[in-house]
């Protein structure tokens, strides 16, 4: 359904909502999708971020301009961060703690913005914030003006259940990585919500303070204990039983917002993004796909947060070569590499050997359009929740190569649904080899088993990508926000 057509005149007065995501595009984009849907229903939405991040967001439909405004708050300079760094895309992985510390410096300007809004007669009905904004509730910026807060979690809901509230962790302490290799005792039903040994170090580190001086879990626990409700980018069809469990665990409503599937961008949107990225032109990518047979290409993209090394890239490249299938690879240069020449990212001679059946793009790629293209038959992904959701829209089977955060859990959940296979990894360190990657790609793209994966992926599309049902989730969320803003 077009966003412009989603507006509903319920006769109720509009909500005033402030939306404030973490400084990562994997967070800002779904926060923007939620903002657009609320604005399309006649509510006033203020989207808060830093100036450079706002300039890099895709444009919104002009019909929403009266209801959706963007509020820039300059990010304080932080020693150790590159000049002009305002998002996770601008910093190395080991600087994330400093970026969080810099964002903590937005407390004073955000408080001033909120005070000005109240003074102008626009006191927000809600602040929808992210996992790292504990200071909105602790200082207390929101309470000073009697504005309730909701936490919008852009990860799949199962990770919240796995992390659990502070009281559950106190009752069942988890201190070592091995403690995270089994589902927690507070999940009462069979699930894939656990980490393998080589994956568990990330989640264990979330319980320890980083360079910001505060652990990610302390940030989350402060918000979970003080916000009025939680909102999740998911739905009952994908995660049955999970929202009632979360409501019980965190002792506040857990509301699914639906999958917030982005629309396939039109040419104007892509020209806007491309003109700011200075990257690969859209026509080159799509023209190449136009020349390939239907369902013959595997689209390869490992997101913006996967900690890829040059060795990972080389094994992936050689695995694609061994698989012998057509591929379109959106290759992101690993953060911190000294490689100045894009050719040096790939094994010697790889592009020449595969040029008749493969395309490697090291700049911006219109991912949704690439997934939507008729030549695309499967998706090799790190299973970031946003990319996984995008794959649902087109019924694509998956080859899964997860790395951090919730991606391993998502990969296991999708494998359980029978829509793809995970690349084999070494149990001790999580490394993968070209042979294992080639096997996984051929299972999905070449062997008869791939037909079953494709059939199951299309069934999942029919179940989840129901415009009426997804719009109903937004309607129910809006209704909940209206009924509970003054409680």
């Amino acid at each position: 359904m077009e966003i412009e057509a989603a507006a509903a005149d319920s006769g109720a007065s509009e909500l005033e909502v402030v939306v404030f995501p973490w400084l990562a595009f994997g967070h800002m984009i779904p926060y923007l999708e939620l903002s657009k849907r609320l604005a399309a229903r006649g509510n006033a939405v203020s989207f808060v971020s830093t100036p450079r991040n706002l300039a890099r967001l895709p444009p919104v439909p002009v019909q929403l301009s009266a209801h959706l405004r963007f509020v820039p708050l300059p990010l304080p300079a932080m020693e150790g961060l590159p000049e002009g760094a305002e998002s996770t895309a601008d910093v190395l992985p080991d600087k994330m703690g400093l970026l969080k510390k810099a964002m903590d410096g937005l407390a004073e300007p955000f408080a001033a913005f909120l005070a000005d809004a109240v003074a102008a007669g626009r006191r927000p009905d809600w602040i929808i914030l992210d996992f790292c904004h504990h200071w909105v509730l602790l200082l207390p910026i929101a309470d000073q003006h009697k504005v309730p807060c909701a936490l919008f979690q852009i990860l799949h809901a199962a990770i919240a259940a796995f992390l659990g509230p502070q009281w559950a962790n106190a009752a069942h302490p988890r201190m070592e990585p091995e403690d995270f290799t089994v589902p927690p005792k507070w999940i009462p039903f069979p699930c894939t919500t656990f980490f393998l040994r080589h994956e568990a170090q990330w989640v264990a580190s979330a319980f320890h303070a980083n360079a910001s001086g505060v652990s990610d879990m302390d940030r989350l626990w402060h918000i979970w204990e003080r916000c009025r409700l939680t909102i999740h980018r998911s739905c009952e069809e994908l995660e049955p039983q999970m929202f009632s469990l979360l409501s019980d665990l965190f002792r506040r409503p857990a509301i699914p917002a639906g999958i917030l599937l982005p629309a396939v961008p039109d040419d104007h949107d892509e020209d806007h993004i491309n003109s700011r990225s200075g990257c690969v032109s859209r026509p080159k990518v799509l023209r190449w796909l136009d020349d390939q047979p239907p369902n013959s290409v595997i689209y390869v993209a490992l997101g913006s947060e996967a900690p890829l090394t040059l060795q990972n890239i080389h094994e992936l490249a050689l695995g694609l070569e061994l698989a012998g299938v057509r591929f379109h690879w959106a290759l992101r240069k690993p953060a911190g590499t000294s490689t100045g020449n894009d050719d040096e990212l790939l094994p010697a001679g790889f592009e020449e050997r595969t040029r008749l059946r493969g395309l490697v793009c090291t700049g911006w790629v219109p991912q949704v359009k690439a997934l939507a293209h008729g030549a695309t038959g499967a998706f090799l992904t790190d299973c970031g929740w946003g990319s996984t959701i995008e794959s649902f829209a087109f019924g694509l089977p998956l080859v899964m190569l997860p790395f951090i955060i919730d991606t391993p859990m998502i990969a296991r959940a999708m494998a359980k649904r029978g829509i793809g296979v995970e690349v084999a990894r070494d149990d001790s360190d999580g490394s993968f080899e070209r042979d294992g990657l080639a096997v996984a790609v051929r299972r999905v793209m070449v062997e008869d088993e791939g037909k079953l994966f494709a059939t199951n992926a299309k069934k999942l599309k029919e179940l989840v990508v129901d415009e009426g049902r997804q719009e109903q989730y937004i309607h129910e969320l809006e209704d909940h926000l209206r009924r509970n803003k003054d409680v």
Side-chain angles (χ1 to χ4, degrees):
M1 175 176 54
E2 296 295 328
I3 287 178
E4 302 94 294
D9 183 7
S10 63
S13 61
E14 69 178 27
L15 290 167
E16 288 274 354
V17 181
V18 174
V19 173
F20 195 4
W22 162 234
L23 305 177
F25 284 93
H27 289 240
M28 286 183 273
I29 296 301
Y31 269 70
L32 182 59
E33 289 297 326
L34 178 62
S35 299
K36 287 156 62 176
R37 283 160 174 77
L38 290 173
R41 302 179 70 85
N43 302 297
V45 181
S46 297
F47 187 101
V48 179
S49 192
T50 63
R52 186 167 180 236
N53 286 333
L54 294 180
R56 290 185 284 183
L57 290 174
V60 300
V62 66
Q63 296 89 334
L64 300 183
S65 59
H67 296 283
L68 176 55
R69 70 185 184 113
F70 296 93
V71 180
L73 298 182
L75 190 69
M78 179 61 57
E79 184 177 354
L81 289 181
E83 184 178 356
E86 295 186 8
S87 80
T88 58
D90 304 323
V91 301
L92 302 177
D94 63 353
K95 301 296 184 183
M96 295 300 180
L98 288 178
L99 188 63
K100 289 166 187 167
K101 187 174 182 179
M103 188 167 191
D104 291 344
L106 290 176
E108 185 174 338
F110 182 75
F113 153 73
L114 192 59
D116 289 345
V118 172
R122 294 176 59 91
R123 184 182 73 85
D125 294 302
W126 287 92
I127 299 172
I128 298 178
L129 43 73
D130 214 328
F131 79 96
C132 56
H133 297 76
H134 64 303
W135 37 265
V136 173
L137 292 153
L138 280 180
L139 288 183
I141 296 171
D143 284 353
Q144 181 181 355
H145 300 290
K146 296 182 172 55
V147 180
C149 292
L151 171 64
F152 177 35
Q153 297 192 271
I154 57 95
L155 306 178
H156 77 317
I159 188 67
F162 179 85
L163 294 173
Q166 194 163 15
W167 68 262
N169 280 273
H172 305 284
R174 296 177 293 182
M175 306 300 294
E176 303 298 330
E178 291 79 6
D179 297 331
F180 300 95
T181 60
V182 294
K185 296 182 183 299
W186 52 82
I187 297 182
F189 45 79
C191 63
T192 56
T193 308
F194 59 89
F195 288 95
L196 302 180
R197 181 178 176 82
H198 70 263
E199 302 161 347
Q201 187 59 51
W202 170 84
V203 70
S205 69
F207 287 76
H208 300 285
N210 52 52
S212 72
V214 185
S215 75
D216 288 347
M217 283 309 305
D218 279 334
R219 291 174 184 269
L220 261 174
W221 281 335
H222 284 309
I223 295 173
W224 274 333
E225 290 175 1
R226 291 168 175 82
C227 71
R228 191 168 291 178
L229 59 92
T230 60
I231 305 168
H232 301 267
R233 188 189 188 186
S234 189
C235 59
E236 294 281 359
E237 292 81 0
L238 282 173
E239 299 187 84
Q241 305 181 78
M242 195 56 67
F243 300 102
S244 59
L245 172 63
L246 290 173
S247 296
D248 290 341
L249 277 176
F250 293 99
R251 299 162 182 169
R252 55 192 30 79
I255 312 298
I259 61 175
L260 301 175
L261 189 67
V264 178
D266 60 23
D267 292 343
H268 175 267
D269 292 340
E270 289 176 357
D271 289 345
H272 171 95
I273 298 168
N274 206 35
S275 67
R276 285 157 176 75
S277 65
C279 298
V280 174
S281 66
R282 169 189 164 275
K284 175 184 176 181
V285 172
L286 298 184
R287 280 201 308 268
W288 184 85
L289 286 170
D290 289 340
D291 292 335
Q292 311 308 314
N295 301 314
S296 67
V297 176
I298 186 166
Y299 174 65
V300 183
L302 297 178
S304 59
E305 303 290 338
L308 290 174
T309 65
L310 281 175
Q311 182 179 357
N312 294 151
I313 290 174
H314 282 205
E315 290 300 313
L316 178 51
L318 296 172
L320 289 172
E321 185 176 356
L322 280 173
V325 302
R326 291 178 173 85
F327 64 88
H328 170 212
W329 185 0
L331 172 59
R332 180 179 55 84
K333 180 179 177 180
T337 60
S338 58
T339 303
N341 188 335
D342 289 341
D343 293 339
E344 297 175 15
L345 289 173
L346 297 165
F350 168 76
E351 287 190 277
E352 178 60 27
R353 294 192 301 271
T354 61
R355 65 183 178 84
L356 295 180
R357 59 180 176 84
L359 176 67
V360 179
C361 299
T362 55
W364 177 81
V365 169
Q367 176 161 297
V368 174
K369 277 211 164 183
L371 293 173
H373 199 283
T376 302
F379 184 14
L380 197 164
T381 173
D382 69 327
C383 279
W385 192 226
S387 291
T388 305
I389 283 172
E390 288 173 359
S391 77
F392 296 158
F394 311 110
L396 294 174
L398 305 176
V399 175
M400 298 174 284
L401 189 61
F403 286 88
I404 58 170
I405 315 179
D406 60 340
T407 60
M409 291 183 185
I410 295 170
R412 278 188 286 279
M414 296 303 107
K416 186 176 180 180
R417 285 183 174 270
I419 67 169
V421 297
E422 191 172 346
V423 175
R425 309 288 270 270
D426 185 284
D427 286 341
S428 61
D429 63 7
S431 61
F432 66 93
E433 296 182 348
R434 64 198 71 170
D435 292 325
L437 189 133
V439 167
V441 169
R442 290 187 63 82
R443 283 180 65 188
V444 172
M445 290 291 293
V446 177
E447 298 174 9
D448 289 342
E449 188 179 12
K451 297 176 183 177
L452 179 60
F453 295 137
T455 297
N456 290 338
K458 287 179 172 59
K459 288 179 180 177
L460 183 59
K461 172 186 175 181
E462 293 170 1
L463 178 68
V464 173
V465 188
D466 181 311
E467 294 179 352
R469 179 62 178 132
Q470 291 300 315
E471 181 60 22
Q472 181 65 21
Y473 279 116
I474 296 297
H475 173 76
E476 292 169 1
L477 170 61
E478 181 191 43
D479 183 61
H480 200 100
L481 294 175
R482 289 188 187 283
R483 287 187 289 105
N484 291 278
K485 63 187 179 71
D486 298 319
V487 173

